[in-house]
C-alpha cells in the first residue's frame, strides 16, 4: 500500500497471519515534498528519491506481491489495463511509465490517459516508490488490486 504519507509492507501466506509487516515514513506526498522541487523533476532529484526508496524498503523476500491503492491502479490504467483489479504490472512497464511521467510537468501529467488529474502532482514519487519496491523485493511484476486494507478487515470480521 502506497499512501500519501506512508507505504505499508505486509508479508505472509493466504489464510495465515502475516509473518512480517511494517509501516514506513515513505509516501507519495511526503516524498514529493521532500525530494521533488523542479517541474518536471530533475535527474538528480529523481536519483535522490530512488535512493531513499531503496534505503527504506524492508529487506524481505517475496514470491508474489499485491499492490493496492491509487499509485498501483493509476499505473495499471496508464499501462492500458481494461480492468485494473488483478492486472499484472511488470517492472519494465513501471520503469517506462515512471520515466514518462517524470519527463512531464504537472500540467502535462494531468492529461495522461488513465491518470486522474488530482494525482498528477504526486504520481512521480508514487511511481518511483512502486518501481523501486518491486526491484528491491526481487520481483518482476506485481498484481494490482483495487481493494484495500478495509476490504481485508471486513473479510476477516466475517
Amino acid at each position: 500500500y502506497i499512501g500519501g504519507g506512508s507505504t505499508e509492507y505486509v508479508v505472509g501466506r493466504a489464510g495465515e497471519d502475516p509473518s512480517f509487516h511494517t509501516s514506513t515514513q515513505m509516501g507519495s506526498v511526503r516524498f514529493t515534498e521532500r525530494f521533488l522541487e523542479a517541474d518536471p523533476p530533475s535527474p538528480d532529484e529523481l536519483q535522490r528519491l530512488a535512493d531513499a526508496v531503496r534505503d527504506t524498503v524492508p529487506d524481505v523476500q517475496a514470491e508474489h506481491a499485491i499492490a493496492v491503492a491509487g499509485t498501483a491502479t493509476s499505473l495499471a490504467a496508464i499501462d492500458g489495463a481494461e480492468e485494473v483489479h488483478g492486472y499484472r504490472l511488470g517492472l519494465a512497464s513501471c520503469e517506462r511509465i515512471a520515466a514518462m511521467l517524470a519527463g512531464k510537468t504537472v500540467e502535462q501529467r494531468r492529461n495522461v490517459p488513465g491518470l486522474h488529474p488530482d494525482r498528477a502532482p504526486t504520481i512521480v514519487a508514487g511511481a518511483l516508490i512502486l518501481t523501486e519496491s518491486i526491484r528491491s523485493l526481487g520481483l518482476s511484476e506485481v498484481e494490482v488490486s483495487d481493494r484495500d486494507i478495509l476490504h481485508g478487515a471486513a473479510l476477516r470480521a466475517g
Side-chain angles (χ1 to χ4, degrees):
Y1 168 82
I2 300 170
S6 66
T7 297
E8 324 300 323
Y9 296 90
V10 180
V11 178
R13 298 193 180 280
E16 298 177 10
D17 286 339
S19 59
F20 174 85
H21 60 88
T22 190
S23 179
T24 67
Q25 296 296 306
M26 172 177 66
S28 59
V29 173
R30 185 185 306 261
F31 270 33
T32 296
E33 291 172 350
R34 185 175 295 166
F35 295 102
L36 306 181
E37 295 179 13
D39 187 26
S42 73
D44 286 344
E45 290 173 338
L46 296 168
Q47 186 62 56
R48 284 193 301 273
L49 192 153
D51 290 345
V53 173
R54 285 190 293 275
D55 289 344
T56 305
V57 175
D59 185 19
V60 296
Q61 295 299 310
E63 296 173 12
H64 178 79
I66 299 172
V68 301
T71 293
T73 58
S74 294
L75 266 61
I78 293 168
D79 200 37
E82 291 182 25
E83 175 64 41
V84 297
H85 186 73
Y87 187 75
R88 303 251 180 211
L89 184 62
L91 175 59
S93 291
C94 288
E95 292 169 336
R96 176 182 51 77
I97 294 167
M100 178 271 293
L101 293 168
K104 296 182 180 299
T105 65
V106 170
E107 284 309 310
Q108 291 169 330
R109 289 193 299 267
R110 290 187 198 284
N111 296 311
V112 170
L115 180 64
H116 190 285
D118 292 348
R119 291 198 175 275
T122 60
I123 193 63
V124 172
L128 286 174
I129 292 169
L130 181 58
T131 300
E132 294 304 326
S133 293
I134 295 168
R135 187 186 332 280
S136 294
L137 294 171
L139 300 171
S140 61
E141 67 178 14
V142 293
E143 180 181 345
V144 176
S145 176
D146 62 4
R147 300 192 177 112
D148 60 16
I149 294 169
L150 292 177
H151 181 80
L155 286 175
R156 186 177 188 129

